[in-house]
Amino acid sequence: MAIKIFNAIVYLPIIVIFMIIGQIYFESYLDSFSRYNSILAIIISITYFIQELCLLQISFLNLTDLTFTMVLPITMLFRKKHSAIWWGLLAATPLLSSLYTAIIGINSFSNWWIWVLKSIFFVTICWILIKYVKLSIFTRYTMAIISLGIVDLLTQAIEGRLQAISVSAATLGLAIFLILEKNRYAIENKNKQKIKLLRKESVRDDLTGLLNYRALSQEISGLAKRQDIHNICIGALDIDHFKSINDRYGHFAGNEVLNTFSTTLRKRIHAAFPGHGYVYRFGGEEFSIVVTNYPITEIHTVLQDVEDFFNQQPIVTSEGMKIRISFSASLTNHLNGEILDDTLKRADRMLYSVKNNGRGWIVTDHYHKQSSSKDKE
């Protein structure tokens, strides 16, 4: 008896936790290559029922109890991935597991109405907790698992199968499971935050906080596939004579110049092209902008305003030094089917033609069938 109770409150909760971990990673693996929802649903359903069959065999061997058979579909449903599949599996589980017990002689077919009510109850309770209850997801999940224990005890009482082992499984067993699941859930969320932070850091420039080349590559790839994007303009910018600023005022002052320039550029681009303007830093004094669905002439005008702003107003460092800057820029349209590197190389060539011819002005290319620039001074 002691071994069976141990199995009810320790062994089966651990087995179910491992099943949940396996299911989560299995679905992540499927998501990495599967594009067909119907095939994905079939694969998930088959693997789930194989797991359920194994769990039923372990349960009958140790407990003759079905408490934990509902835990996996409830858990996966609260993850909100492939929810349509898991709603169906949630509804089917009590029916099929009870049918299995009837076939092998543990249960009676005359109790079919209890199986149906149990199925309806759990679909309803999970639907209410997921759709309408405004609490943290783990609190709602805990409420669903507690409901599972209560209903399981009532079902066993009605069917005359209530024993010390089944009570242990539906109370202490589920309590131990919730403790294990809470820790697993916390670790998973912590790892997700770490991954999210690493991804954010991988596409952000440390000094200015602007997006970097990796982010630009990802953005252009995404924008080129969108039906609502009818043109993409890329600009290359370079602060003029930045090396001499570092040599004269020092690298800390140079960093302040980069920060002030990037902040001003970002604010002006975001304000002029809300939801359509993006600013990136490639390293050093080199920057890039991407603007969608706006004519190149409007983008040129905004950059010219930024140029005029810095011509009229020096940057004042924290040590009180006043530094005047200018920048050179080029604007070119990203062509359909063109790879990003080709667009950037064209913008870069145009930019260096500006720098070789006096600096401090903005050029646009012939792909827009227009060209406008600031006359050299």
Side-chain angles (χ1 to χ4, degrees):
M1 178 65 74
I3 293 175
K4 289 187 176 181
I5 291 178
F6 175 82
N7 289 336
I9 64 176
V10 177
Y11 180 64
L12 274 177
I14 291 174
I15 290 294
V16 174
I17 282 290
F18 279 118
M19 289 175 65
I20 289 169
I21 294 171
Q23 187 68 42
I24 290 170
Y25 280 97
F26 178 65
E27 290 194 13
S28 298
Y29 170 73
L30 289 177
D31 286 341
S32 67
F33 70 89
S34 180
R35 296 182 181 180
Y36 306 100
N37 290 333
S38 58
I39 296 176
L40 184 64
I42 293 170
I43 294 172
I44 289 175
S45 299
I46 291 172
T47 55
Y48 167 69
F49 284 121
I50 291 172
Q51 291 181 83
E52 282 295 296
L53 182 61
C54 293
L55 185 59
L56 283 168
Q57 293 294 336
I58 294 171
S59 297
F60 294 147
L61 181 64
N62 292 282
L63 308 170
T64 317
D65 183 76
L66 302 176
T67 298
F68 288 95
T69 57
M70 295 283 289
V71 171
L72 181 58
I74 291 173
T75 303
M76 299 306 295
L77 191 60
F78 273 82
R79 291 179 62 83
K80 298 182 179 179
K81 287 194 68 176
H82 311 296
S83 59
I85 301 171
W86 286 106
W87 280 117
L89 294 177
L90 176 69
T93 298
L95 299 175
L96 294 177
S97 59
S98 298
L99 180 62
Y100 182 77
T101 61
I103 291 172
I104 64 176
I106 293 176
N107 205 345
S108 171
F109 285 102
S110 62
N111 292 327
W112 64 268
W113 58 276
I114 299 177
W115 314 341
V116 174
L117 287 177
K118 193 173 182 179
S119 178
I120 293 172
F121 175 82
F122 276 108
V123 170
T124 304
I125 196 68
C126 288
W127 180 269
I128 293 171
L129 288 171
I130 289 173
K131 299 291 183 179
Y132 300 107
V133 177
K134 304 299 181 183
L135 295 171
S136 71
I137 188 167
F138 195 80
T139 300
R140 288 177 284 153
Y141 171 73
T142 301
M143 293 168 67
I145 296 298
I146 291 172
S147 300
L148 169 63
I150 293 171
V151 172
D152 227 40
L153 289 173
L154 290 174
T155 303
Q156 291 172 37
I158 293 171
E159 294 176 345
R161 296 188 294 110
L162 199 60
Q163 299 175 7
I165 298 171
S166 57
V167 171
S168 298
T171 53
L172 291 175
L174 287 180
I176 295 296
F177 167 77
L178 281 172
I179 292 171
L180 295 173
E181 174 61 12
K182 183 178 181 180
N183 282 279
R184 187 206 62 79
Y185 183 76
I187 292 169
E188 181 184 24
N189 279 344
K190 187 176 181 180
N191 289 337
K192 282 182 178 178
Q193 291 302 316
K194 286 181 179 178
I195 292 170
K196 186 177 180 181
L197 180 61
L198 288 172
R199 285 177 177 170
K200 183 178 179 181
E201 289 176 348
S202 73
V203 297
R204 289 282 176 184
D205 172 61
D206 291 336
L207 177 63
T208 63
L210 292 178
L211 296 166
N212 59 22
Y213 176 80
R214 183 192 300 245
L216 174 60
S217 179
Q218 293 172 356
E219 187 67 35
I220 293 296
S221 177
L223 290 173
K225 297 175 182 177
R226 285 173 50 181
Q227 298 296 320
D228 58 327
I229 301 297
H230 51 77
N231 76 285
I232 303 171
C233 181
I234 294 180
L237 297 85
D238 190 287
I239 299 176
D240 297 326
H241 306 294
F242 184 72
K243 184 178 183 300
S244 65
I245 294 174
N246 276 335
D247 292 342
R248 182 177 178 183
Y249 299 100
H251 289 284
F252 288 104
N255 287 345
E256 289 190 59
V257 168
L258 289 172
N259 272 317
T260 301
F261 176 77
S262 63
T263 300
T264 302
L265 179 64
R266 178 171 52 198
K267 287 181 177 178
R268 295 293 184 98
I269 292 296
H270 288 181
F273 314 109
H276 291 272
Y278 313 87
V279 182
Y280 305 83
R281 184 190 177 206
F282 279 11
E285 66 275 25
E286 298 178 3
F287 297 82
S288 184
I289 64 170
V290 174
V291 180
T292 59
N293 292 357
Y294 279 86
I296 203 167
T297 50
E298 288 189 35
I299 304 166
H300 177 277
T301 299
V302 172
L303 287 185
Q304 189 61 63
D305 289 342
V306 176
E307 185 84 77
D308 293 341
F309 172 81
F310 284 112
N311 285 337
Q312 297 165 11
Q313 184 171 317
I315 294 173
V316 181
T317 70
S318 59
E319 295 181 352
M321 293 180 287
K322 295 182 179 180
I323 305 174
R324 289 190 178 275
I325 67 167
S326 65
F327 66 89
S328 303
S330 63
L331 292 170
T332 183
N333 284 300
H334 180 65
L335 306 179
N336 289 334
E338 185 178 41
I339 64 173
L340 173 63
D341 280 349
D342 287 345
T343 313
L344 291 174
K345 286 176 184 177
R346 183 168 65 253
D348 199 52
R349 287 195 299 269
M350 293 167 57
L351 176 61
Y352 276 88
S353 71
V354 173
K355 295 176 71 173
N356 291 330
N357 288 277
R359 303 177 188 256
W361 54 289
I362 304 159
V363 66
T364 63
D365 66 10
H366 64 280
Y367 289 103
H368 195 73
K369 300 182 179 179
Q370 294 188 52
S371 180
S372 58
S373 67
K374 177 184 174 183
D375 292 332
K376 279 194 305 177
E377 296 181 352

